[in-house]
């Protein structure tokens, strides 16, 4: 096959520490690709736009919670693509030229599987994630199962299509795991794209939202959050979220945020273990904590406090087809303003896109693949 097809490939698994002078790309390279022959139920597609996920960053720098990803591997699970060829088998109404985004997670589809039997492939213990278990969207072409295909809704651009998967994670978490009510005060910890998507969806549900970040986020991520009208809280070990809530935070109209240092709901998107440890101390009795992030180490929790305050802590893993449809609707109707949060890169600049993303020097990197 033509060597003109290229992909961003993980090749090794060295632990890399950003901002220490070490190259954050020493585990990866842009490589020539050969596309395998199509098997039963597979399609060949041309990738259009692919987003860099925090999990892509973690795998690239060899974080412990993604060291299971087999190398070499062309990563990428947030993308839009165009069907080039249909392999053997029945593909339903799918045809060459269709534009779609793929379900990131494909379950075993065994009718005896508790998750797959109710179409929750994201909860299947044998699920396979495109870009981690097989080559994904950071190749200029991709082979995948047609069962993953989710056609883009009318009015949604291919560039927006690259954001459907991460936004679907938020629709699953906030609509299925949280009990958000109008008038509640909600803290989102972490101001990456997952945090900002959470903030937008929570506000759309009627909540007042504050977003946390660190000093490095001040001029990029927290700035964009403030431009969207969110309360922004810069935290540090010396000036923690707990301390600032106790001292009193107000919105732009001078109205106090929270009550007696407590909020109704905390959505944890940072992936920093001490942030989750702190979280249960800033939520009201019988309040909610929703954990979307994953962690590279075990997290210590004051379980007795959790019991005595009757807190509800729930994790949320991935998303399923229904969540993808809800996410598309949120973008088509303008409830999630994707243009405010997206930083575009051409494929020739993919290394720069990953470096900026890993070092949190952008909001959401999306690469134009072809």
């Amino acid at each position: 096959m033509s060597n003109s097809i290229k992909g961003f490939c993980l090749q090794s698994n060295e632990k890399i520490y950003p901002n220490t002078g070490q190259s954050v790309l020493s585990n990866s390279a842009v490589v020539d690709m050969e596309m395998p022959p199509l098997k039963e139920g597979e399609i060949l597609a041309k990738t259009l736009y692919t987003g860099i996920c925090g999990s892509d960053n973690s795998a690239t720098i060899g974080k412990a919670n993604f060291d299971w990803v087999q190398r070499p591997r062309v990563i990428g699970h947030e993308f839009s693509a165009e069907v080039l060829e249909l392999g053997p088998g029945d593909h339903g109404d799918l045809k060459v030229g269709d534009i779609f985004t793929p379900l990131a997670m494909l379950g075993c589809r065994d009718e005896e599987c508790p998750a797959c039997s109710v179409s929750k492939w994201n909860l299947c213990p044998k699920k396979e994630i495109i870009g981690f278990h097989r080559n994904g969207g950071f190749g200029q072409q991709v082979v995948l199962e047609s069962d993953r295909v989710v056609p883009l809704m009318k009015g949604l651009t291919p560039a927006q299509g690259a954001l459907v998967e991460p936004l679907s994670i938020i629709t699953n978490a906030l609509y299925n795991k949280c009990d958000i009510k109008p008038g509640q005060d909600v803290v989102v910890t972490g101001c990456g794209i997952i945090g900002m998507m959470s903030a937008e969806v929570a506000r759309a549900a009627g909540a007042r939202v504050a977003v946390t970040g660190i000093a490095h986020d001040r001029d990029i991520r927290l700035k964009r959050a403030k431009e969207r009208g969110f309360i922004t809280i810069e935290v540090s070990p010396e000036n923690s979220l707990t301390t600032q809530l106790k001292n009193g935070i107000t919105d732009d109209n001078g109205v106090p945020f929270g009550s007696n240092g407590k909020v109704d709901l905390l959505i944890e998107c940072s992936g920093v273990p001490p942030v989750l440890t702190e979280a249960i101390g800033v939520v009201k009795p019988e309040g909610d904590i929703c954990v979307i992030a994953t962690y590279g180490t075990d997290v210590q929790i004051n379980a007795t406090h959790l019991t005595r305050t009757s807190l509800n802590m729930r994790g949320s893993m991935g998303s399923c087809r229904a969540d993808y449809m809800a996410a598309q609707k949120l973008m088509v109707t303008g409830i999630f303003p994707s243009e405010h949060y997206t930083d575009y890169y051409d494929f020739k600049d993919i290394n720069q896109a990953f470096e900026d993303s890993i070092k949190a020097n952008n909001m959401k990197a999306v690469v134009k693949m072809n």
Side-chain angles (χ1 to χ4, degrees):
M1 299 295 289
S2 171
N3 285 337
S4 64
I5 302 169
K6 296 184 179 296
F8 181 87
C9 183
L10 300 190
Q11 296 183 311
S12 55
N13 199 23
E14 177 187 359
K15 292 195 183 307
I16 298 172
Y17 300 92
N19 304 312
T20 62
Q22 181 183 17
S23 171
V24 296
L25 300 176
S26 59
N27 285 331
S28 61
V30 176
V31 300
D32 293 324
M33 297 178 62
E34 291 189 1
M35 306 311 296
L38 297 180
K39 299 176 183 176
E40 184 85 9
E42 290 184 336
I43 64 170
L44 175 68
K46 177 176 73 174
T47 50
L48 302 175
Y49 291 86
T50 305
I52 299 178
C53 178
S55 60
D56 295 324
N57 293 335
S58 295
T60 300
I61 62 175
K63 279 191 175 181
N65 49 333
F66 284 92
D67 61 6
W68 52 267
V69 178
Q70 184 183 21
R71 275 77 168 174
R73 175 67 68 222
V74 174
I75 57 175
H77 55 272
E78 305 175 356
F79 61 94
S80 61
E82 177 183 350
V83 178
L84 294 178
E85 182 182 345
L86 303 176
D90 182 10
H91 300 278
D93 296 331
L94 194 63
K95 61 186 183 300
V96 171
D98 284 351
I99 307 296
F100 69 93
T101 187
L103 294 171
M105 300 178 185
L106 183 72
C108 68
R109 293 168 287 179
D110 188 324
E111 62 183 16
E112 298 298 323
C113 173
C116 292
S117 63
V118 292
S119 301
K120 294 289 182 76
W121 292 351
N122 52 311
L123 301 179
C124 173
K126 297 180 181 179
K127 62 181 172 289
E128 292 191 350
I129 303 172
I130 192 166
F132 289 149
H133 292 99
R134 67 178 301 165
N135 286 345
F138 281 113
Q140 292 181 309
Q141 291 186 9
V142 61
V143 171
L144 70 161
E145 304 89 344
S146 63
D147 283 353
R148 294 184 187 264
V149 168
V150 180
L152 291 192
M153 189 175 289
K154 184 178 180 180
L156 203 69
T157 67
Q160 289 175 306
L163 297 182
V164 172
E165 193 276 340
L167 189 56
S168 74
I169 290 173
I170 306 310
T171 60
N172 178 34
L174 270 66
Y175 296 149
N176 299 325
K177 310 296 182 182
C178 299
D179 185 23
I180 301 179
K181 298 182 176 65
Q184 286 187 331
D185 285 338
V186 174
V187 167
V188 176
T189 48
C191 54
I193 190 62
I194 292 297
M196 293 316 307
M197 286 177 166
S198 297
E200 292 281 1
V201 174
R203 183 167 64 181
R208 186 171 51 159
V209 182
V211 180
T212 72
I214 59 176
H216 180 78
D217 299 317
R218 184 184 305 149
D219 296 330
I220 299 176
R221 295 180 171 183
L222 285 178
K223 180 181 177 182
R224 292 206 201 179
K226 193 165 187 64
E227 288 170 353
R228 285 291 298 160
F230 296 107
I231 300 168
T232 57
I233 306 172
E234 184 181 316
V235 297
S236 67
E238 300 75 29
N239 196 20
S240 67
L241 175 61
T242 301
T243 298
Q244 294 187 58
L245 286 171
K246 285 182 178 178
N247 290 340
I249 293 172
T250 60
D251 63 20
D252 288 343
N253 296 316
V255 179
F257 178 80
S259 177
N260 296 318
K262 308 291 184 182
V263 297
D264 300 293
L265 166 66
L266 185 142
I267 304 169
E268 184 359 45
C269 304
S270 75
V272 178
V275 173
L276 182 56
T277 299
E278 181 186 20
I280 65 172
V282 301
V283 176
K284 295 176 181 178
E286 294 191 323
D288 297 305
I289 299 170
C290 181
V291 184
I292 302 176
T294 62
Y295 304 86
T297 60
D298 291 341
V299 182
Q300 291 187 334
I301 294 293
N302 186 339
T304 298
H305 178 80
L306 189 75
T307 300
R308 288 177 174 169
T309 53
S310 294
L311 294 181
N312 305 299
M313 179 181 286
R314 301 186 70 177
S316 185
M317 175 62 188
S319 57
C320 62
R321 191 175 294 269
D323 304 312
Y324 274 62
M325 302 312 295
Q328 291 193 66
K329 183 63 72 68
L330 290 179
M331 279 194 280
V332 166
T333 57
I335 291 174
F336 176 74
S338 57
E339 66 282 355
H340 182 75
Y341 295 109
T342 311
D343 300 295
Y344 292 105
Y345 296 77
D346 289 331
F347 182 76
K348 66 181 177 62
D349 300 317
I350 193 168
N351 284 334
Q352 188 63 56
F354 266 89
E355 183 168 350
D356 289 346
S357 186
I358 290 168
K359 293 183 177 181
N361 289 333
N362 55 24
M363 188 72 243
K364 177 63 175 182
V366 173
V367 179
K368 185 177 181 181
M369 293 298 299
N370 281 282

